Amino acid sequence: MEEYYHIIFRTCFLYVFIIIVFRLMGKREVGELSVIDLVVFVLIAEVAAFALDDFKNPLFNAILPIIILLFIQILSAYLSLKFKKIRDLVDGDPALLVKDGVILESEMRKHRYNLDDLCQQLRENGVASVTDVAFAYLEPSGNLSIYKKDEKAFVYPLIIDGDIQERHLLTMHKDVDWLMGELAKNNITNSETVFFCIWEDHKLHIQLKES
């Protein structure tokens, strides 16, 4: 009978403990999990499974690896927040799959994304034909962001946390010199002082970093 009480205690303790750990990791949708998030979650599940399967090992042997994984996840999240290059390395960058109604076959092949997947996501977004699409981006989460040709305007993130998004400038048929000229009109000489900058309704919307 004592063994059953031991099983119940371990199960309930690990259940509550893992919930607390996941809460400390922060809120993210399942579809938005990064590679590191996924690896950490899988490893935590494996550690918990071993702890429930082998009751001879001390419970601390399961708690310690989970705490270490928690700190790894928090550290990676902090570094991703502070450094965009690390964020791009961990989460990946959106990929342009459709431009002006033309499917970019090389990008499709690069990301191992087939035509069936593309057509399915177009249908799910209420798009009847790829020719109606101005731009379609494959997000790191696997979702497809679609901008139709008949939409009034597009929003282009040009600077994110001080980092110039040259691929968006290329899409707009602009370059870095043009962007710096526009920033100069707003008395901004260094792009690294910009926290967020977008091009919307034919003008820049700029938010500077907090001092």
mmCIF file of all heavy atoms in Angstrom, residues 120-137:
data_model
loop_
_atom_site.group_PDB
_atom_site.id
_atom_site.type_symbol
_atom_site.label_atom_id
_atom_site.label_comp_id
_atom_site.label_asym_id
_atom_site.label_seq_id
_atom_site.Cartn_x
_atom_site.Cartn_y
_atom_site.Cartn_z
ATOM 1 N N GLN A 120 -3.227 24.182 -49.941
ATOM 2 C CA GLN A 120 -4.061 23.980 -48.759
ATOM 3 C C GLN A 120 -4.138 25.253 -47.918
ATOM 4 O O GLN A 120 -5.216 25.674 -47.496
ATOM 5 C CB GLN A 120 -3.526 22.830 -47.912
ATOM 6 C CG GLN A 120 -4.323 22.614 -46.618
ATOM 7 C CD GLN A 120 -3.737 21.510 -45.744
ATOM 8 O OE1 GLN A 120 -2.973 20.673 -46.219
ATOM 9 N NE2 GLN A 120 -4.086 21.519 -44.475
ATOM 10 N N GLN A 121 -2.980 25.876 -47.685
ATOM 11 C CA GLN A 121 -2.983 27.086 -46.861
ATOM 12 C C GLN A 121 -3.646 28.254 -47.582
ATOM 13 O O GLN A 121 -4.254 29.116 -46.944
ATOM 14 C CB GLN A 121 -1.558 27.443 -46.442
ATOM 15 C CG GLN A 121 -0.939 26.400 -45.518
ATOM 16 C CD GLN A 121 -0.188 27.033 -44.354
ATOM 17 O OE1 GLN A 121 -0.564 28.089 -43.847
ATOM 18 N NE2 GLN A 121 0.869 26.378 -43.931
ATOM 19 N N LEU A 122 -3.552 28.303 -48.890
ATOM 20 C CA LEU A 122 -4.277 29.333 -49.644
ATOM 21 C C LEU A 122 -5.780 29.158 -49.466
ATOM 22 O O LEU A 122 -6.509 30.132 -49.219
ATOM 23 C CB LEU A 122 -3.905 29.273 -51.125
ATOM 24 C CG LEU A 122 -2.497 29.731 -51.511
ATOM 25 C CD1 LEU A 122 -2.258 29.523 -53.001
ATOM 26 C CD2 LEU A 122 -2.277 31.190 -51.141
ATOM 27 N N ARG A 123 -6.254 27.918 -49.563
ATOM 28 C CA ARG A 123 -7.687 27.659 -49.381
ATOM 29 C C ARG A 123 -8.135 28.012 -47.971
ATOM 30 O O ARG A 123 -9.206 28.593 -47.767
ATOM 31 C CB ARG A 123 -8.002 26.182 -49.680
ATOM 32 C CG ARG A 123 -7.858 25.790 -51.142
ATOM 33 C CD ARG A 123 -8.483 24.431 -51.408
ATOM 34 N NE ARG A 123 -7.849 23.378 -50.610
ATOM 35 C CZ ARG A 123 -6.793 22.669 -51.021
ATOM 36 N NH1 ARG A 123 -6.247 22.914 -52.211
ATOM 37 N NH2 ARG A 123 -6.266 21.717 -50.256
ATOM 38 N N GLU A 124 -7.308 27.651 -46.984
ATOM 39 C CA GLU A 124 -7.661 27.935 -45.586
ATOM 40 C C GLU A 124 -7.732 29.427 -45.304
ATOM 41 O O GLU A 124 -8.418 29.855 -44.370
ATOM 42 C CB GLU A 124 -6.647 27.271 -44.650
ATOM 43 C CG GLU A 124 -6.744 25.749 -44.624
ATOM 44 C CD GLU A 124 -5.646 25.111 -43.784
ATOM 45 O OE1 GLU A 124 -4.720 25.852 -43.370
ATOM 46 O OE2 GLU A 124 -5.713 23.888 -43.550
ATOM 47 N N ASN A 125 -7.027 30.222 -46.122
ATOM 48 C CA ASN A 125 -7.068 31.674 -45.970
ATOM 49 C C ASN A 125 -8.057 32.336 -46.936
ATOM 50 O O ASN A 125 -8.053 33.563 -47.077
ATOM 51 C CB ASN A 125 -5.670 32.263 -46.179
ATOM 52 C CG ASN A 125 -4.759 32.046 -44.986
ATOM 53 O OD1 ASN A 125 -4.772 32.816 -44.037
ATOM 54 N ND2 ASN A 125 -3.981 30.963 -45.021
ATOM 55 N N GLY A 126 -8.869 31.513 -47.589
ATOM 56 C CA GLY A 126 -9.898 32.045 -48.471
ATOM 57 C C GLY A 126 -9.374 32.621 -49.763
ATOM 58 O O GLY A 126 -10.013 33.507 -50.354
ATOM 59 N N VAL A 127 -8.227 32.140 -50.229
ATOM 60 C CA VAL A 127 -7.638 32.620 -51.484
ATOM 61 C C VAL A 127 -7.877 31.571 -52.561
ATOM 62 O O VAL A 127 -7.428 30.432 -52.437
ATOM 63 C CB VAL A 127 -6.129 32.886 -51.328
ATOM 64 C CG1 VAL A 127 -5.537 33.378 -52.639
ATOM 65 C CG2 VAL A 127 -5.887 33.906 -50.223
ATOM 66 N N ALA A 128 -8.578 31.968 -53.611
ATOM 67 C CA ALA A 128 -8.959 31.008 -54.645
ATOM 68 C C ALA A 128 -7.812 30.670 -55.585
ATOM 69 O O ALA A 128 -7.685 29.530 -56.044
ATOM 70 C CB ALA A 128 -10.147 31.560 -55.445
ATOM 71 N N SER A 129 -6.979 31.650 -55.877
ATOM 72 C CA SER A 129 -5.902 31.438 -56.852
ATOM 73 C C SER A 129 -4.625 32.120 -56.388
ATOM 74 O O SER A 129 -4.666 33.196 -55.771
ATOM 75 C CB SER A 129 -6.316 31.990 -58.217
ATOM 76 O OG SER A 129 -5.219 31.956 -59.124
ATOM 77 N N VAL A 130 -3.505 31.506 -56.714
ATOM 78 C CA VAL A 130 -2.212 32.085 -56.349
ATOM 79 C C VAL A 130 -1.983 33.399 -57.080
ATOM 80 O O VAL A 130 -1.220 34.257 -56.621
ATOM 81 C CB VAL A 130 -1.082 31.075 -56.644
ATOM 82 C CG1 VAL A 130 -0.875 30.921 -58.151
ATOM 83 C CG2 VAL A 130 0.228 31.503 -55.983
ATOM 84 N N THR A 131 -2.660 33.603 -58.216
ATOM 85 C CA THR A 131 -2.511 34.847 -58.970
ATOM 86 C C THR A 131 -3.118 36.039 -58.226
ATOM 87 O O THR A 131 -2.853 37.186 -58.585
ATOM 88 C CB THR A 131 -3.161 34.723 -60.358
ATOM 89 O OG1 THR A 131 -4.543 34.362 -60.200
ATOM 90 C CG2 THR A 131 -2.464 33.663 -61.191
ATOM 91 N N ASP A 132 -3.941 35.774 -57.207
ATOM 92 C CA ASP A 132 -4.523 36.845 -56.397
ATOM 93 C C ASP A 132 -3.583 37.299 -55.282
ATOM 94 O O ASP A 132 -3.891 38.248 -54.553
ATOM 95 C CB ASP A 132 -5.839 36.385 -55.752
ATOM 96 C CG ASP A 132 -6.899 36.033 -56.795
ATOM 97 O OD1 ASP A 132 -6.892 36.660 -57.864
ATOM 98 O OD2 ASP A 132 -7.722 35.136 -56.524
ATOM 99 N N VAL A 133 -2.441 36.613 -55.150
ATOM 100 C CA VAL A 133 -1.539 36.869 -54.027
ATOM 101 C C VAL A 133 -0.446 37.855 -54.437
ATOM 102 O O VAL A 133 0.225 37.668 -55.448
ATOM 103 C CB VAL A 133 -0.885 35.553 -53.539
ATOM 104 C CG1 VAL A 133 0.102 35.824 -52.410
ATOM 105 C CG2 VAL A 133 -1.962 34.588 -53.071
ATOM 106 N N ALA A 134 -0.293 38.902 -53.628
ATOM 107 C CA ALA A 134 0.815 39.835 -53.837
ATOM 108 C C ALA A 134 2.084 39.272 -53.207
ATOM 109 O O ALA A 134 3.130 39.203 -53.843
ATOM 110 C CB ALA A 134 0.487 41.206 -53.257
ATOM 111 N N PHE A 135 1.974 38.870 -51.921
ATOM 112 C CA PHE A 135 3.096 38.259 -51.211
ATOM 113 C C PHE A 135 2.561 37.170 -50.293
ATOM 114 O O PHE A 135 1.473 37.303 -49.718
ATOM 115 C CB PHE A 135 3.853 39.285 -50.353
ATOM 116 C CG PHE A 135 4.435 40.425 -51.127
ATOM 117 C CD1 PHE A 135 3.815 41.666 -51.127
ATOM 118 C CD2 PHE A 135 5.605 40.267 -51.850
ATOM 119 C CE1 PHE A 135 4.340 42.710 -51.839
ATOM 120 C CE2 PHE A 135 6.142 41.314 -52.565
ATOM 121 C CZ PHE A 135 5.505 42.547 -52.571
ATOM 122 N N ALA A 136 3.320 36.088 -50.169
ATOM 123 C CA ALA A 136 2.997 35.028 -49.211
ATOM 124 C C ALA A 136 4.284 34.611 -48.519
ATOM 125 O O ALA A 136 5.245 34.208 -49.175
ATOM 126 C CB ALA A 136 2.354 33.829 -49.908
ATOM 127 N N TYR A 137 4.305 34.754 -47.202
ATOM 128 C CA TYR A 137 5.495 34.435 -46.408
ATOM 129 C C TYR A 137 5.255 33.176 -45.587
ATOM 130 O O TYR A 137 4.212 33.049 -44.926
ATOM 131 C CB TYR A 137 5.837 35.581 -45.450
ATOM 132 C CG TYR A 137 6.388 36.818 -46.114
ATOM 133 C CD1 TYR A 137 5.558 37.872 -46.479
ATOM 134 C CD2 TYR A 137 7.752 36.939 -46.383
ATOM 135 C CE1 TYR A 137 6.071 39.011 -47.083
ATOM 136 C CE2 TYR A 137 8.272 38.074 -46.991
ATOM 137 C CZ TYR A 137 7.422 39.103 -47.332
ATOM 138 O OH TYR A 137 7.931 40.228 -47.930
#
